[in-house]
């Protein structure tokens, strides 16, 4: 059963990745183009020669972007299917479709929203090349912290629900997650490397497109995976019913 769900998770992730690519291509590329133009103009004023273009912008914005998002979608699809397998039947009495939406919401918050609130994505021309290693390291540390805080909140939710009821226990567990994440964020350094005169609108549009692309990916993955998982889970029930009828 888990293997069949995993296969469908990969399919849902790949299809959702294609939809996310279309969104990112439509809404993200204009801000990237503006950021690159800003960087080129800044380098020209400083008398610096243009950097060699190892991969053309056409390839970066089409096949390069599609390849990156498809790989991300496949990875997320596998994790999503495993998360669904763990959550289904253990979180209240939700249907497969509702469980898929809940798992997608949790995954988006834990893996995307929380890390991006601490270290939001930046377009080209923002960031010091000498600190890229540090920025990558602390970003993945933030993801790990977010996952650990989510696990702690989930483990605490069961006794809280038994003591306070489903609604109040869930709210307290959510507040616990927020408190843990907020506290742990102070242990990581703040990184601000915004160049002077960089257009605020370009930065804002880029971050909107980045978070929007992730929202499309996770929501589409849940909406695609839910019906497929429902068919997989209902198949054994139909077989059992048919066997009882024959008996």
């Amino acid at each position: 059963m888990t293997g069949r769900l995993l296969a469908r998770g990969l399919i849902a992730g790949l299809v959702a990745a294609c939809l996310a690519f279309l969104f990112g291509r439509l809404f993200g590329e204009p801000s990237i183009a503006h950021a690159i133009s800003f960087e080129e103009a800044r380098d020209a004023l400083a008398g610096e020669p243009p950097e060699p273009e190892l991969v053309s912008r056409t390839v970066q914005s089409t096949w390069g972007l599609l390849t990156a998002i498809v790989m991300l979608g496949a990875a997320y699809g596998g994790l999503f299917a495993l998360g669904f397998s763990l959550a289904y039947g253990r979180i209240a009495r939700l249907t497969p479709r509702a469980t898929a939406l809940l798992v997608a919401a949790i995954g988006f918050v834990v893996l995307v929203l929380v890390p991006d609130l601490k270290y939001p994505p930046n377009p080209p021309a923002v960031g010091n090349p000498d600190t890229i290693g540090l920025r990558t390291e602390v970003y993945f540390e933030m993801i790990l912290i977010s996952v650990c805080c989510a696990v702690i909140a989930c483990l605490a939710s069961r006794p809280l629900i038994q003591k306070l009821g489903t609604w109040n226990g869930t709210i307290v567990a959510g507040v616990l997650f927020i408190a843990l994440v907020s506290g742990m964020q102070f242990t990581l350094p703040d990184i601000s490397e915004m160049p002077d005169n960089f257009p605020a609108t370009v930065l804002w549009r880029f971050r909107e497109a980045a978070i929007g692309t992730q929202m499309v990916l996770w929501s589409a993955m849940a909406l695609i995976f839910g019906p497929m998982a429902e068919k997989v889970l209902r198949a054994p029930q139909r077989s059992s019913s048919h066997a009882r009828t024959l008996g």
Side-chain angles (χ1 to χ4, degrees):
M1 181 69 69
T2 302
R4 296 172 65 188
L5 290 174
L6 180 60
R8 283 153 179 79
L10 293 174
I11 294 172
L14 292 173
V15 176
C18 293
L19 297 175
F21 163 76
L22 295 176
F23 182 93
R25 183 80 173 84
L26 182 61
F27 295 99
E29 280 303 313
S31 58
I32 293 177
H34 286 306
I36 292 175
S37 298
F38 173 87
E39 185 176 33
E40 291 175 346
R42 183 188 61 185
D43 292 344
L45 289 174
E48 298 179 0
E51 296 183 1
E53 192 176 57
L54 300 179
V55 180
S56 68
R57 274 296 302 150
T58 302
V59 173
Q60 291 179 27
S61 62
T62 53
W63 293 108
L65 178 62
L66 178 61
T67 301
I69 292 182
V70 164
M71 292 177 63
L72 182 66
Y76 276 166
L79 292 174
F80 181 83
L82 294 176
F84 176 90
S85 300
L86 292 173
Y88 182 66
R90 295 180 176 88
I91 302 179
R93 294 184 177 180
L94 299 178
T95 64
R97 300 190 186 203
T99 303
L101 289 173
L102 179 60
V103 171
I106 294 174
F108 173 78
V109 170
V110 172
L111 298 177
V112 179
L113 184 60
V114 169
D116 282 4
L117 287 175
K118 177 65 177 179
Y119 300 113
N122 291 323
V126 176
N128 184 353
D130 296 334
T131 63
I132 188 170
L134 172 64
R135 287 184 279 123
T136 302
E137 179 182 344
V138 294
Y139 181 78
F140 281 102
E141 285 180 4
M142 191 64 247
I143 293 178
L144 180 60
I145 288 172
S146 180
V147 171
C148 292
C149 292
V151 171
I152 294 173
C154 288
L155 292 176
S157 65
R158 180 162 295 183
L160 287 172
I161 288 174
Q162 292 176 349
K163 184 177 181 179
L164 303 175
T166 302
W167 179 256
N168 292 331
T170 302
I171 292 178
V172 173
V175 171
L176 175 62
F177 171 73
I178 295 173
L180 290 174
V181 166
S182 300
M184 292 301 296
Q185 281 185 341
F186 288 105
T187 65
L188 297 178
D190 293 326
I191 298 177
S192 179
E193 299 176 343
M194 185 66 60
D196 296 333
N197 301 323
F198 188 86
T201 303
V202 173
L203 178 64
W204 180 251
R205 295 301 182 197
F206 176 82
R207 290 177 175 174
E208 280 183 330
I211 199 72
T213 300
Q214 289 282 356
M215 290 179 67
V216 170
L217 177 64
W218 283 93
S219 58
M221 191 160 50
L223 293 173
I224 295 168
F225 179 83
M228 293 193 295
E230 195 171 53
K231 291 181 180 180
V232 171
L233 295 169
R234 284 182 177 178
Q237 298 176 0
R238 289 196 297 266
S239 299
S240 299
S241 301
H242 182 64
R244 286 196 298 268
T245 301
L246 294 177

